[in-house]
Amino acid sequence: MKLRLIFLFMIISFGQLQAQNEVISLWKIVPNSIETSEEEFIEHGDIIKISKVKKPTLEIYAPSKRNATDKAVLIYPGGGYTMLAYDWEGTEIAKWFNSKGITAFVLKYRLPNSKSQKTPNEAPLQDAQRAMRWVRFNADKFGINPNKIGVIGFSAGGHLASTLGTQFDTDNNFKEESIDTISARPDFMALIYPVITMKDDYTHKGSRNQLIGKTPTKELIEQYSNELQVTENTPPTFLVHSSNDNAVPVENSIQFYKALNDKKVKVEMHIYPYGGHGFSLAINQKGYLHTWLDRLDDWLKTM
């Protein structure tokens, strides 16, 4: 009986350790939304996939206090603006950042294929802006330097990250709170096999169709083609892509690199000959693709 009680106590204690990550809601009243019967859906398979997001959240991953630096990063999982690969390109990435002493925040952002939004293409950026402002507002609480907060995005999450990095000062069309006056500019960006352009030549059609529709106007195509939105104030950027990416052509990263370089924005790019699309940490990939994390670590130390 005594052994059973000890075993039960160990299970409960382990469960408490596993449940330490705080999850906060981004909004008291979610802007640009309408009430529907639609419900968020979570699919538990090889990858945890979340779709139909109605209430955006930040999940907080903090490193141990003795290892902590004063840097932080917001993580935007990909999923073609249809769903979020929440663990594959979210929470697993957060754990890696924690191993480097960096506080990580995984953003569960609204997706434009939801019926619960008035103007679907505006919702992801609204959540990205608010997430950056929330972290900056609460920087002291987490021991973060408010001038050392970056963003990393994968695939369509890379498009959202690059949209934030180039259009962080987009005006709000909702009633603002005081937090909405804080700068939403990231201090650095890491874009991993990102969707960048919405132009026909190299776009990822699935992401484009979800974000701006199958027959978008020229204005929307240009607005969300982030290689066209780069300015001298775009944050320093780290890019990773594979040459054999058949989903999001490597030209997305190449075009963004050129736009940044032309504006004299600090940029570093690593193009691997293999890896395809969606390799995440690349732990089980052949060769040296997994070393992209070492290159990111080196680059972060210069920020």
Side-chain angles (χ1 to χ4, degrees), residues 3 21 36 53 66 68 79 101 109 138 140 147 149 168 173-174 179 192-194 197 207-208 210 236 239 246-247 301:
L3 286 174
N21 296 318
T36 70
V53 176
R66 291 185 66 178
Y109 56 92
N138 289 282
D140 285 348
N147 298 314
I149 304 172
F168 51 85
N173 57 6
F174 54 84
I179 194 173
I192 316 304
Y193 41 86
T197 191
S207 295
R208 185 175 102 158
Q210 293 295 335
L239 291 154
N246 294 321
K301 289 172 182 174

Side-chain angles (χ1 to χ4, degrees), residues 158-173:
H159 183 267
L160 178 56
S162 64
T163 304
L164 180 67
T166 55
Q167 303 181 53
F168 51 85
D169 54 359
T170 297
D171 291 336
N172 294 318
N173 57 6

